[in-house]
Structures are given as structure tokens and as C-alpha cells.
């Protein structure tokens, strides 16, 4: 767990490295703050963390914004696959949950799974390594 700057409640990003069939994948997951000022600081920190990584990278989480943040090394998977109009949270009917991937991750599909158990819908991707 890597601490992110915050004012209200503590925020962080979980980082783990997965080894799958001789491929190494770094997975980052976060839940950013509610204020724009706080989120901007957290996004800057995430950008620094991502820029220190190499190889296959996925960044996921509730970023609490409808404006898709830019991470220079990563691509917004929903945008890349033309699915950025799909809501991930209701009743707002907006997208605030994101999955970003490095360009060397081969994307197969992206899906928002509408379930009645939470105010956030799970986002499911299929990717191919290698």
C-alpha cells in the first residue's frame, strides 16, 4: 500500500506484481478522494508511481471524476474500445470507475456488468498476455 496525499480521509494505492504464465503484470488499485483539489494531487502522485514502472501495467479504481484523468504511460481502456459512454455508477449514470493499461497489454473486451448489489457496477475486461 502506497499512501497518496489527502486532506479528508487517508487514501492510497495498492500495488502488486502478478506472474502469469511467465509474464509479469503490475496491478495498481485505488479509490481517490472526493474534492477536485485532493484528486489532482493524488493523480499527480499516481502518475509518478506509474512512470517508475515498466512492463505490463494495469491501473484500476474509483477515481471519483467523470473527466478521465491522463496518465502518460497508460491508455483508458474504455476510451480505446469505444465504451467510455457506459455508466459505472448509479443513480448518477456516469463513469467514475476506470481501468487503464500500458500499450503492451492486448485488450480483448470491456464490459460494465449491471448488478443490483452496489451503487457501482463491476467493470470486467479480458486481456491477452504475450
Amino acid at each position: 500500500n502506497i499512501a497518496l496525499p489527502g486532506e479528508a480521509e487517508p487514501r492510497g494505492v495498492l500495488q502488486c506484481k502478478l506472474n502469469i504464465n511467465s509474464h509479469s503484470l503490475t496491478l495498481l488499485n485505488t479509490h481517490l478522494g472526493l474534492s477536485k483539489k485532493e484528486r489532482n494531487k493524488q493523480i499527480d502522485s499516481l502518475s509518478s508511481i506509474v512512470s517508475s514502472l515498466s512492463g505490463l501495467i494495469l491501473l484500476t479504481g474509483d477515481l471519483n471524476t467523470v473527466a478521465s484523468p491522463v496518465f502518460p504511460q497508460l491508455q483508458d481502456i474504455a476510451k480505446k474500445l469505444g465504451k467510455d459512454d457506459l455508466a459505472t455508477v448509479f443513480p448518477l449514470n456516469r463513469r467514475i470507475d476506470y481501468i487503464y493499461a500500458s500499450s503492451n497489454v492486448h485488450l480483448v473486451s470491456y464490459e460494465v456488468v449491471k448488478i443490483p448489489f452496489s451503487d457501482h457496477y463491476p467493470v470486467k475486461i479480458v486481456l491477452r498476455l504475450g
Side-chain angles (χ1 to χ4, degrees):
N1 187 32
I2 302 165
L4 294 175
E7 298 163 6
E9 63 182 287
R11 301 291 179 161
V13 58
L14 296 174
Q15 178 180 335
C16 69
K17 188 163 274 202
L18 303 171
N19 292 308
I20 305 167
N21 296 332
S22 75
H23 296 282
S24 182
L25 172 72
T26 300
L27 177 61
L28 303 159
N29 184 267
T30 192
H31 183 185
L32 299 186
L34 299 176
S35 82
K36 185 174 183 173
K37 179 181 173 186
E38 183 177 43
R39 273 194 315 275
N40 287 340
K41 289 178 185 177
Q42 293 165 348
I43 289 167
D44 288 344
S45 289
L46 281 172
S47 290
S48 294
I49 292 166
V50 168
S51 69
S52 72
L53 301 171
S54 61
L56 302 169
I57 303 166
L58 286 178
L59 168 63
T60 68
D62 176 349
L63 303 188
N64 270 321
T65 182
V66 295
S68 176
V70 174
F71 298 98
Q73 280 184 264
L74 304 176
Q75 51 195 329
D76 179 339
I77 291 178
K79 276 189 179 180
K80 180 176 178 159
L81 297 177
K83 306 280 187 162
D84 53 323
D85 60 336
L86 298 178
T88 63
V89 65
F90 71 92
L92 299 176
N93 286 323
R94 298 189 178 196
R95 181 171 77 115
I96 64 172
D97 302 287
Y98 295 84
I99 300 177
Y100 289 85
S102 53
S103 61
N104 54 357
V105 172
H106 304 286
L107 305 168
V108 176
S109 67
Y110 174 98
E111 178 184 2
V112 175
V113 183
K114 295 194 174 184
I115 60 165
F117 310 118
S118 171
D119 61 334
H120 290 260
Y121 298 129
V123 179
K124 176 178 132 181
I125 64 167
V126 175
L127 54 93
R128 187 172 30 91
L129 302 176

